[in-house]
Amino acid sequence: MANEVLMPKLSSTMDVGTITTWLKNEGDSVEIGEAIFEVMTDKIAIEVEAYDEGILLKKYIGDGDSALVNSVIAYIGEAGEDVPAEMPGAETEAAEEAPAEETTATAEPAKETTVATTKVRATPAARRIAREKGIDLQQVQGTGPKGRIQALDVKQYQEKPVAAAPAQKAAEGELIPWSGMRKAIADKMSESKHTIPHVTMNAEVDLTKVIELRKQLLPMVEERTDERLSFLEIIAKAAMVALKAYPEFNANAYEDGIRRFEHVNLGVAVAVADGLVVPVVEQADQKGLSDLTAAVKAVTKKARDGQLMPAEMSGGTFTISSLGRSKVQTFNPIINLPEVAILGVGGSYDKLVVENTPEGPQVATITALNLCLSFDHRVADGAPAAAFLSMIVDLLENPMSLLL
């Protein structure tokens, strides 16, 4: 008997999975533990392995198509085995969502009775997208088996440009459909920005003493961890200390209330080839600079190597997003749901300042950077947010206190 291949549930919040690419075609042999497709969820693509061996007999959705978790998306079995022609459950959904339209006979015998029945063949993913976008599936041309409408058919129908007026010249350019990680990021950022009333505060930090401290600690941290201490870990350590004093920013916000946490699970935004991921360092507030450096470097490397698992990107309570050596000095970071705050770190820059010396005022050059705190105004107000950010600045301008 052929074995079902199900859309896996890769995280507690995952309801729908999107196939980014099939690694096996129909008719290919499959071994247990061999990756057969890649699925996108929560900003990350995960290869899914086979639990059975045999021949990939049937695929019900293609690259770019979506399906509900635990729905049957393929079958693996012996060559020649019979499997359903249609995706199991699809016909039931079609019957529920697109019932036949009927016009029954009236009480007037002189009029003819007309019965019209219309049935649209479409995948569950295609129907979901059509519902969300208000698209009439009868207007969409299906490219699947027997003319069945796929999710990509609906997306392409949606993306067809509106005909321009005769006097206008159609704009030129390449249309790149939303897909994979970019789509996941777009959905999550839109939800955050539309759901949360963001407020962003900026503060400048004089890095003079941080630079001195880093020079002293660099060889010791490298000897212990084989990693180089960076400004990011020192800033993160300052944020961990400040969060103890202002726990309202170490929290998650939900419809039924605010959940504060005893320890800080630090999210670190990492740029990757196709977008952005946020791995989490658990209980970062319990780590010294050496351990924090090792942990941050480890999750960053896994992110860039594409080796993160969904569990390693969940459970965050506070996030830091650093632009590193960028020329950008300030920006408004978007909060990583369901967290209530995110700290943005701009690129460092040289700045002229006037210093009071025994010889009188003197012009000097310092290295500075801006910290950009975005917070959920439903959860906290401006005064505590300003005090929280000011404390981080004070800690960085007197960083020896971070070693106590």
Side-chain angles (χ1 to χ4, degrees):
M1 181 178 178
N3 297 294
E4 298 175 339
V5 177
L6 305 179
M7 175 62 74
K9 187 176 181 66
L10 299 176
S11 71
S12 60
T13 59
M14 178 178 170
D15 297 317
V16 176
T18 301
I19 300 293
T20 56
T21 182
W22 280 94
L23 305 176
K24 291 288 186 177
N25 296 315
E26 290 184 2
D28 289 351
S29 61
V30 177
E31 297 180 1
I32 295 176
E34 188 175 13
I36 54 176
F37 64 87
E38 186 180 76
V39 63
M40 174 63 66
T41 177
D42 296 335
K43 299 187 186 178
I44 189 170
I46 298 292
E47 288 187 352
V48 177
E49 299 176 351
Y51 290 97
D52 304 286
E53 64 179 6
I55 302 297
L56 183 58
L57 301 173
K58 185 72 175 178
K59 299 188 299 185
Y60 294 108
I61 61 175
D63 293 353
D65 285 340
S66 303
L68 296 174
V69 297
N70 296 323
S71 59
V72 179
I73 60 173
Y75 275 99
I76 294 175
E78 297 181 2
E81 278 192 275
D82 290 332
V83 295
E86 300 291 337
M87 183 176 181
E91 294 302 325
T92 301
E93 180 174 333
E96 293 175 350
E97 296 183 2
E101 298 177 359
E102 298 183 359
T103 304
T104 58
T106 67
E108 302 178 16
K111 293 185 178 180
E112 296 181 357
T113 300
T114 303
V115 180
T117 302
T118 303
K119 184 176 182 180
V120 178
R121 298 172 62 83
T123 65
R127 294 184 183 279
R128 176 178 55 79
I129 295 171
R131 287 198 307 272
E132 293 173 354
K133 304 300 181 182
I135 296 173
D136 182 1
L137 285 176
Q138 295 187 31
Q139 305 300 318
V140 181
Q141 179 66 45
T143 60
K146 300 181 181 179
R148 191 179 192 190
I149 299 172
Q150 310 284 332
L152 187 59
D153 299 328
V154 182
K155 292 176 182 178
Q156 290 177 340
Y157 177 85
Q158 173 193 347
E159 293 158 356
K160 287 181 180 179
V162 178
Q168 297 177 333
K169 182 178 179 180
E172 296 181 356
E174 179 187 4
L175 177 64
I176 302 174
W178 294 108
S179 62
M181 180 179 292
R182 193 72 262 160
K183 175 61 174 172
I185 293 173
D187 290 344
K188 191 165 186 179
M189 292 299 98
S190 295
E191 181 184 2
S192 177
K193 198 65 176 176
H194 293 161
T195 303
I196 298 176
H198 283 60
V199 176
T200 302
M201 293 183 172
N202 301 295
E204 187 178 68
V205 182
D206 180 349
L207 290 177
T208 301
K209 293 184 179 180
V210 166
I211 293 172
E212 294 174 357
L213 178 64
R214 179 176 178 269
K215 286 181 180 179
Q216 297 175 34
L217 296 178
L218 196 60
M220 292 182 282
V221 172
E222 192 165 4
E223 182 179 357
R224 289 188 59 182
T225 67
D226 289 329
E227 300 288 358
R228 289 179 63 82
L229 174 67
S230 70
F231 292 142
L232 174 61
E233 288 87 44
I234 298 175
I235 294 170
K237 183 61 179 177
M240 299 303 98
V241 174
L243 284 169
K244 289 297 183 183
Y246 296 92
E248 59 264 51
F249 299 102
N250 184 43
N252 287 176
Y254 302 100
E255 289 186 4
D256 57 349
I258 304 164
R259 183 181 298 276
R260 292 186 181 180
F261 300 95
E262 179 181 358
H263 296 296
V264 182
N265 287 344
L266 175 64
V268 182
V270 180
V272 295
D274 298 325
L276 185 75
V277 294
V278 186
V280 174
V281 176
E282 295 187 358
Q283 298 196 351
D285 58 309
Q286 300 295 294
K287 302 180 186 297
L289 273 174
S290 292
D291 291 339
L292 184 59
T293 298
V296 169
K297 293 293 195 288
V299 296
T300 299
K301 184 178 187 302
K302 290 188 72 173
R304 290 173 177 158
D305 292 344
Q307 297 176 345
L308 287 172
M309 298 300 292
E312 295 175 296
M313 296 189 299
S314 62
T317 62
F318 183 85
T319 293
I320 293 180
S321 178
S322 174
L323 295 181
R325 298 180 180 180
S326 168
K327 298 293 184 181
V328 175
Q329 295 181 7
T330 63
F331 64 107
N332 296 340
I334 297 178
I335 297 169
N336 188 25
L337 287 170
E339 297 168 22
V340 303
I342 181 172
L343 182 67
V345 181
S348 60
Y349 54 91
D350 292 334
K351 181 180 180 180
L352 293 176
V353 296
V354 177
E355 296 180 343
N356 293 320
T357 69
E359 293 77 21
Q362 300 288 330
V363 176
T365 301
I366 65 169
T367 299
L369 60 72
N370 282 287
L371 299 179
C372 316
L373 176 70
S374 291
F375 65 95
D376 186 340
H377 209 338
R378 299 173 305 174
V379 176
D381 297 319
F388 171 57
L389 184 57
S390 296
M391 184 175 183
I392 297 175
V393 172
D394 290 341
L395 288 166
L396 292 173
E397 293 187 343
N398 299 279
M400 291 300 292
S401 60
L402 297 175
L403 303 181
L404 301 178

